Amino acid sequence: MTQRLNYVEQSTAYFKHLVAFSTALNDSAIEEGLRHLVEIRASQLNACALCVDMHIKQATLHRERALRLHHLAIWRESPLFSSRERAALAWTEVLTKLPEHGVPDELFEQVRTQLSEKEVSDLTFIVMSINAWNRANVAFKTVPGAFDAAFGLDKAQLL
């Protein structure tokens, strides 16, 4: 894969704002492990090679089990995810692939049984952030692993 253009260099100010926004989400009500799962799942749905690669490495560094990472694509059928994680993944999927008539009330109510209003709100911003990154990196074909050294992801030793 060859990168189409370097959007970091071309739109540096916007890139920095998106980094700041994404970094601020580290203080959200959603725990780090669940954030990783959400970021990976949205990136899978969007076919963002860079982000799938990056977030799997981050999750690995934070001791996420390999089998759960493999099962993320089949989370509905897998017994490895909690009800809370399932709710977050369902919310991630519906916001990533918005249905024609919006988010169903039934899904929102299901999610609310597992997450507080604050958590649903924070999760929504996390999904917004990863979808923004996915769109930029898919559009410009950013090469997987391109930021490993900068983010310390080479320590995941997944090559």
Side-chain angles (χ1 to χ4, degrees):
M1 178 158 76
T2 303
Q3 187 166 328
R4 289 179 171 152
L5 65 82
N6 186 331
Y7 69 91
V8 176
E9 289 177 1
Q10 297 303 314
S11 303
T12 303
Y14 299 131
F15 171 78
K16 288 179 180 179
H17 288 300
L18 187 54
V19 168
F21 173 62
S22 298
T23 302
L25 293 169
N26 290 337
D27 294 327
S28 77
I30 302 300
E31 62 274 14
E32 182 178 55
L34 185 52
R35 279 196 324 270
H36 290 310
L37 296 177
V38 163
E39 290 166 340
I40 294 165
R41 186 63 188 135
S43 299
Q44 289 173 334
L45 293 170
N46 289 320
C48 182
L50 176 101
C51 293
V52 168
D53 179 77
M54 176 182 289
H55 294 294
I56 285 177
K57 289 172 181 171
Q58 287 177 331
T60 300
L61 287 170
H62 291 103
R63 304 202 188 282
E64 181 57 75
R65 295 187 330 231
L67 186 58
R68 281 172 39 97
L69 295 175
H70 291 296
H71 277 225
L72 198 49
I74 56 158
W75 66 267
R76 284 182 178 80
E77 293 79 23
S78 175
L80 301 179
F81 300 97
S82 69
S83 297
R84 176 181 172 77
E85 290 167 332
R86 291 174 185 284
L89 292 169
W91 193 248
T92 298
E93 288 188 0
V94 77
L95 294 181
T96 298
K97 302 286 188 182
L98 284 169
E100 182 178 343
H101 299 289
V103 177
D105 290 337
E106 301 80 30
L107 177 59
F108 177 73
E109 292 306 322
Q110 174 193 351
V111 170
R112 282 284 293 116
T113 67
Q114 299 299 318
L115 302 168
S116 70
E117 287 185 1
K118 169 77 168 139
E119 290 169 330
V120 174
S121 182
D122 285 2
L123 177 59
T124 300
F125 280 93
I126 291 167
V127 174
M128 290 165 46
S129 174
I130 191 58
N131 276 288
W133 287 113
N134 290 167
R135 277 142 181 80
N137 289 303
V138 168
F140 301 120
K141 293 187 175 184
T142 311
V143 178
F147 300 113
D148 281 7
F151 292 122
L153 299 177
D154 47 346
K155 295 176 186 138
Q157 299 178 351
L158 291 177
L159 297 177

